Amino acid sequence: MKVYACTEGRSGQVDAVSLEMIAAARQMVEPGDEVIAFFAGSSKEDACAKLGSADRLIAAVAPGAEIVAADVYARQLCATIAAEGAGAVVVPYSANGLDVASAVAVRTGWPLISYVDQIERNGDTLSVVARMYAGKVLAECEAPLPAVLMVNPGAFKEADIAPIPPERVQVADASSAVATSGARPIAIDLPDFSDVDLKAAERIVCVGRGIGDEASIDLARGLADLLGAEIAGSRPVVDSGWLPKLRQVGKSGQKVKPRLYIALGVSGAPEHVEGMGQADTIIAVNTDPKAPIFSVAHYGSTCDLFDLISSLSERLQTTSR
Ligand code: FAD
C-alpha cells in the first residue's frame, strides 16, 4: 500500500509539519508498504534535503511559484494517485490542508476523517481518534481503506530530517497547472518579528483565558521575567487585545519549540497545541482536571494559576537573592 504524506511550505521551503505528516503516515504502514512524501513548490532542493525519512519523494515543481495554491496541489496529487495508486493520504489540518483534503476526497470518492490525533491500522480498515470541538470531544472512528486523513499538527512527533537519495526522488512539472489555476496568490505578508521572535525563545510562559483579565497578565509577566522567559498568549487573550498578535501561540499564531513551556489557564485546544506540542518540557496549570492540555503536558497541576504564580515567583525571588 502507498501512503502519501502531504508536505507544506512556501518559496520552495518545507515546513516542519511535513515531518509530522511522514510520522503519521508511518503509523499505518505494514511490511512492503511505502510512505511517499508529496511536495509542491518552486524548487525541490529543500524537500530533497529534509524528507529522507519517507521512502520516496514526489515533487511537483513550478519554478517561480512562491505559493502553490490548494487547487493546483490537489490536482497534482490526484494525478499522481491516478498514475501510481494509493492506500491512504495524510494531510495536515492547515489553511491549505483544509482545501487539499476535501478536494482529494471528492475527486477520489474516498472517506475523509478530519482532526485526527491517533491512527491504528487493522488490515483494510483504519481506526482513528479525532479530537474535535477544541479538544473537548474525542471521536473514535473507523474507515475502510483507501481513505484521506486530515491530521492535527502537533499530534505526531516529527520524523527525522534526512536527505533523500536522488534515486528515490521523482519530479513532475507543475508549471502549466500553476499557470492555468483560477487561484493566483498575489503576495506574502510576513509579520515583523523585531519586537519578539517566540520561535527563538528557550522558555515561554503562556497565559490562556483562565488569566481572567488584562491586568492579571502583569503577574504572569513578572513570573516570566524571573524565569528569563517570554510571555505569550492563547488566541482569546490576543483577540481581547491583552497581548500583541506576535505573542500568540497556535495555528493562527506562532509555532514554538522552547525547552520549557508553562501554560497557565490554557485549555489545550488542538489549534493551540499545534503551536506548542513539540516543546521539550510542557508544564500545565489548569483547575479542570479534564482539560485537554494535560494530554500533552509532561507535568501538570490543577491548582489555581494565581496561587502558582505567587508561590513560584516568591520561591524564585528567594533563591535569586
Ligand atoms: P479556554 O478554552 O476558555 O480555556 C481556559 C482554561 O482556563 C480552562 O480550561 C479553565 O479550566 C482554565 N482556568 C480558568 N480559570 C483558571 C484558574 N484560575 N487557574 C487555572 N486554570 C484556570 N487558539 C490558540 O490558542 N491559538 C491559535 O493560534 C488558534 N488558532 C485558531 C484557528 C482556528 C481556525 C480556530 C477555529 C481556532 C483557533 N484557536 C486558536 C482557538 C482555539 O480553538 C481555542 O478556542 C483557544 O485555544 C482557547 O483558548 P484558551 O485555552 O485560552 O481558553
Side-chain angles (χ1 to χ4, degrees):
M1 175 171 107
K2 289 169 181 159
V3 183
Y4 289 83
C6 291
T7 70
E8 290 215 331
R10 61 164 187 265
S11 308
Q13 301 298 302
V14 171
D15 285 351
V17 75
S18 308
L19 299 163
E20 294 179 30
M21 295 306 112
I22 292 174
R26 284 257 169 252
Q27 293 292 304
M28 63 183 106
V29 292
E30 293 180 347
D33 291 347
E34 231 186 347
V35 170
I36 302 174
F38 182 83
F39 170 81
S42 55
S43 66
K44 65 177 185 352
E45 274 62 37
D46 196 45
C48 290
K50 291 183 178 157
L51 302 179
S53 51
D55 300 312
R56 266 200 294 150
L57 166 66
I58 297 182
V61 175
E66 290 199 40
I67 302 171
V68 173
D71 74 314
V72 174
Y73 192 112
R75 272 194 281 148
Q76 292 291 131
L77 177 57
C78 287
T80 305
I81 290 170
E84 294 235 1
V89 178
V90 176
V91 183
Y93 167 41
S94 63
N96 195 59
L98 280 162
D99 292 348
V100 169
S102 46
V104 172
V106 167
R107 288 202 173 115
T108 55
W110 297 343
L112 164 62
I113 306 182
S114 303
Y115 313 121
V116 171
D117 253 11
Q118 295 170 36
I119 306 169
E120 196 185 307
R121 177 167 163 202
N122 310 302
D124 290 338
T125 309
L126 288 180
S127 299
V128 307
V129 175
R131 186 177 288 270
M132 301 159 72
Y133 299 109
K136 293 188 177 68
V137 172
L138 294 179
E140 290 177 22
C141 318
E142 280 202 346
L145 289 166
V148 182
L149 303 184
M150 190 159 60
V151 171
N152 285 328
F156 292 89
K157 195 171 175 319
E158 291 170 13
D160 290 339
I161 291 182
I164 190 159
E167 63 274 16
R168 284 165 39 201
V169 179
Q170 193 179 322
V171 180
D173 184 1
S175 304
S176 66
V178 167
T180 55
S181 168
R184 301 267 164 91
I186 296 165
I188 301 174
D189 191 5
L190 293 175
D192 171 10
F193 290 108
S194 51
D195 170 31
V196 61
D197 184 1
L198 285 184
K199 285 181 201 296
E202 293 241 312
R203 295 171 204 168
I204 292 176
V205 172
C206 180
V207 291
R209 191 154 29 198
I211 196 76
D213 55 34
E214 184 172 11
S216 302
I217 290 185
D218 280 343
L219 300 172
R221 197 179 275 113
L223 174 63
D225 288 346
L226 287 165
L227 287 166
E230 290 290 351
I231 186 88
S234 66
R235 180 161 156 178
V237 166
V238 170
D239 284 352
S240 303
W242 301 345
L243 283 174
K245 179 76 181 164
L246 273 181
R247 291 188 183 265
Q248 180 183 321
V249 171
K251 177 181 241 4
S252 45
Q254 304 299 315
K255 315 259 183 304
V256 300
K257 233 181 181 180
R259 287 177 51 213
L260 175 66
Y261 190 88
I262 303 182
L264 303 174
V266 175
S267 59
E271 293 85 3
H272 186 81
V273 172
E274 173 172 344
M276 47 63 79
Q278 306 281 337
D280 289 347
T281 301
I282 299 168
I283 301 175
V285 180
N286 193 309
T287 44
D288 176 4
K290 291 190 174 156
I293 192 75
F294 290 124
S295 63
V296 290
H298 302 96
Y299 302 94
S301 168
T302 52
C303 72
D304 187 290
L305 70 88
F306 295 103
D307 292 343
L308 179 112
I309 291 177
S310 94
S311 52
L312 186 54
S313 300
E314 210 177 289
R315 190 51 116 34
L316 289 165
Q317 274 159 348
T318 315
T319 50
S320 67
R321 265 183 219 136

